[in-house]
mmCIF file of all heavy atoms in Angstrom:
data_model
loop_
_atom_site.group_PDB
_atom_site.id
_atom_site.type_symbol
_atom_site.label_atom_id
_atom_site.label_comp_id
_atom_site.label_asym_id
_atom_site.label_seq_id
_atom_site.Cartn_x
_atom_site.Cartn_y
_atom_site.Cartn_z
ATOM 1 N N GLU A 92 40.899 -103.083 94.510
ATOM 2 C CA GLU A 92 39.601 -102.887 93.863
ATOM 3 C C GLU A 92 38.485 -103.584 94.640
ATOM 4 O O GLU A 92 37.310 -103.327 94.424
ATOM 5 C CB GLU A 92 39.629 -103.405 92.421
ATOM 6 C CG GLU A 92 39.746 -102.283 91.424
ATOM 7 C CD GLU A 92 39.586 -102.705 89.980
ATOM 8 O OE1 GLU A 92 38.765 -103.593 89.679
ATOM 9 O OE2 GLU A 92 40.299 -102.125 89.149
ATOM 10 N N ARG A 140 33.365 -102.432 92.537
ATOM 11 C CA ARG A 140 34.823 -102.443 92.361
ATOM 12 C C ARG A 140 35.308 -101.054 92.732
ATOM 13 O O ARG A 140 34.822 -100.056 92.196
ATOM 14 C CB ARG A 140 35.212 -102.770 90.910
ATOM 15 C CG ARG A 140 34.810 -104.185 90.522
ATOM 16 C CD ARG A 140 35.231 -104.525 89.101
ATOM 17 N NE ARG A 140 34.656 -105.828 88.728
ATOM 18 C CZ ARG A 140 34.712 -106.339 87.513
ATOM 19 N NH1 ARG A 140 35.320 -105.682 86.539
ATOM 20 N NH2 ARG A 140 34.166 -107.521 87.250
ATOM 21 N N GLU A 142 37.149 -98.756 91.934
ATOM 22 C CA GLU A 142 37.956 -98.234 90.819
ATOM 23 C C GLU A 142 38.769 -97.032 91.308
ATOM 24 O O GLU A 142 38.251 -96.177 92.026
ATOM 25 C CB GLU A 142 37.055 -97.798 89.658
ATOM 26 C CG GLU A 142 36.204 -98.905 89.048
ATOM 27 C CD GLU A 142 36.953 -99.708 87.974
ATOM 28 O OE1 GLU A 142 38.095 -99.357 87.646
ATOM 29 O OE2 GLU A 142 36.365 -100.698 87.489
ATOM 30 N N ARG A 151 32.323 -95.876 84.016
ATOM 31 C CA ARG A 151 33.261 -96.499 84.945
ATOM 32 C C ARG A 151 32.902 -96.067 86.352
ATOM 33 O O ARG A 151 33.267 -95.006 86.809
ATOM 34 C CB ARG A 151 34.714 -96.143 84.605
ATOM 35 C CG ARG A 151 35.704 -96.912 85.502
ATOM 36 C CD ARG A 151 37.108 -96.924 84.959
ATOM 37 N NE ARG A 151 37.197 -97.569 83.667
ATOM 38 C CZ ARG A 151 37.173 -98.902 83.479
ATOM 39 N NH1 ARG A 151 37.093 -99.721 84.502
ATOM 40 N NH2 ARG A 151 37.257 -99.394 82.275
HETATM 41 MG MG1 MG B 2 38.093 -103.592 85.163
#
Side-chain angles (χ1 to χ4, degrees):
E92 257 188 37
R140 295 182 188 172
E142 299 275 356
R151 186 163 299 283

